[in-house]
Amino acid sequence: EIVLTQSPGTLSLSPGERATLSCRASQSVSSSYLAWYQQKPGQAPRLLIYGASSRATGIPDRFSGSGSGTDFTLTISRLEPEDFAVYYCQQYGSSPGYSFGQGTKLEIK
Amino acid sequence: EVQLVESGGGLVQPGGSLRLSCAASGFTFSSYEMNWVRQAPGKGLEWVSYISSSGSTIYYADSVKGRFTISRDNAKNSLYLQMNSLRAEDTAVYYCAGRYSFHYYYYMDVWGKGTTVTVSS
């Protein structure tokens, strides 16, 4: 079973700053199976990135994904007030089925 | 408008049963693989179960295997989750989420707003 570990658990930044979120897999993950989601309180998750680096429809270009193998990164180039939320990485394939990382909370400093 | 609407949540005693439903509209449901994903209060996302677009392939998380049953009715554009032998740790918001089965990549791009299940005496 592949375990996804996200770091940091909480990231405190100010609007306009750059955010770098990490997702590390316990075994190699196909980039095709790696996605990122954003979740705000009381809302369902929203797909941001699929295939490790492709932005979903309607996602601003300040969001970007990168990485391969066991190390993946979500970068938000310039934080907007609406970006403060919890972010999850997701992989498909092991077990089988899907699994999620434990999440990174991005909070306003 | 693409939409998934969950229903059937509520308060149930430990050991009890509940059946969740998810109604799809605005897209070709029969072309989508579907999942149930849950989120316990204050916790992260946990994938629960998967069903292929035809219903022929099904997967479960170990935490629910043998207790939960996923099914779908493509004629009714509906997804179901039969939950038996419920435990306190099954308390969560349950989301249905889908993936277009002909996509090369694996992700869930259609989500419902969730239905809340509380298991308590």
Side-chain angles (χ1 to χ4, degrees):
Chain A
E1 177 188 353
I2 297 178
V3 176
L4 299 178
T5 301
Q6 293 185 238
S7 61
T10 301
L11 185 57
S12 299
L13 294 170
S14 301
E17 291 192 293
R18 180 185 186 89
T20 303
L21 287 67
S22 173
C23 175
R24 179 160 292 177
S26 58
Q27 302 172 44
S28 184
V29 172
S30 167
S31 295
S32 303
Y33 297 168
L34 197 288
W36 290 91
Y37 300 84
Q38 177 194 67
Q39 187 180 34
K40 296 180 180 179
Q43 296 184 17
R46 177 176 71 146
L47 177 70
L48 294 176
I49 301 288
Y50 65 90
S53 61
S54 298
R55 275 188 302 277
T57 302
I59 301 303
D61 60 7
R62 64 180 180 273
F63 290 90
S64 63
S66 62
S68 63
T70 60
D71 289 295
F72 298 89
T73 301
L74 175 69
T75 302
I76 310 172
S77 58
R78 294 174 313 279
L79 285 166
E80 297 288 341
E82 62 267 27
D83 298 336
F84 292 92
V86 180
Y87 293 84
Y88 296 94
C89 57
Q90 163 248 293
Q91 69 90 29
Y92 172 85
S94 73
S95 296
Y98 289 85
S99 65
F100 293 91
Q102 84 279 18
T104 290
K105 181 180 181 180
L106 179 56
E107 65 176 23
I108 299 176
K109 187 174 182 180
Chain B
E1 179 191 5
V2 172
Q3 199 170 13
L4 292 172
V5 179
E6 302 92 338
S7 61
L11 174 63
V12 61
Q13 292 188 340
S17 297
L18 214 53
R19 188 193 196 209
L20 305 184
S21 298
C22 172
S25 60
F27 63 100
T28 306
F29 181 70
S30 59
S31 295
Y32 274 67
E33 302 170 353
M34 297 300 297
N35 299 270
W36 288 98
V37 176
R38 69 184 180 183
Q39 187 168 36
K43 303 297 185 182
L45 301 173
E46 179 188 14
W47 171 78
V48 172
S49 185
Y50 160 98
I51 187 167
S52 62
S53 56
S54 67
S56 60
T57 301
I58 286 173
Y59 305 132
Y60 297 100
D62 288 344
S63 58
V64 306
K65 203 173 293 183
R67 300 187 300 122
F68 289 13
T69 302
I70 191 172
S71 62
R72 66 189 296 161
D73 185 336
N74 286 343
K76 294 183 178 179
N77 290 336
S78 293
L79 174 73
Y80 307 101
L81 186 68
Q82 177 66 43
M83 304 187 296
N84 298 331
S85 303
L86 282 161
R87 306 166 180 167
E89 53 265 35
D90 296 317
T91 295
V93 175
Y94 285 73
Y95 297 100
C96 61
R99 167 188 174 270
Y100 184 56
S101 60
F102 298 103
H103 276 160
Y104 174 76
Y105 300 99
Y106 281 76
Y107 54 84
M108 292 173 258
D109 60 338
V110 181
W111 291 74
K113 295 185 186 300
T115 187
T116 300
V117 173
T118 303
V119 183
S120 175
S121 55

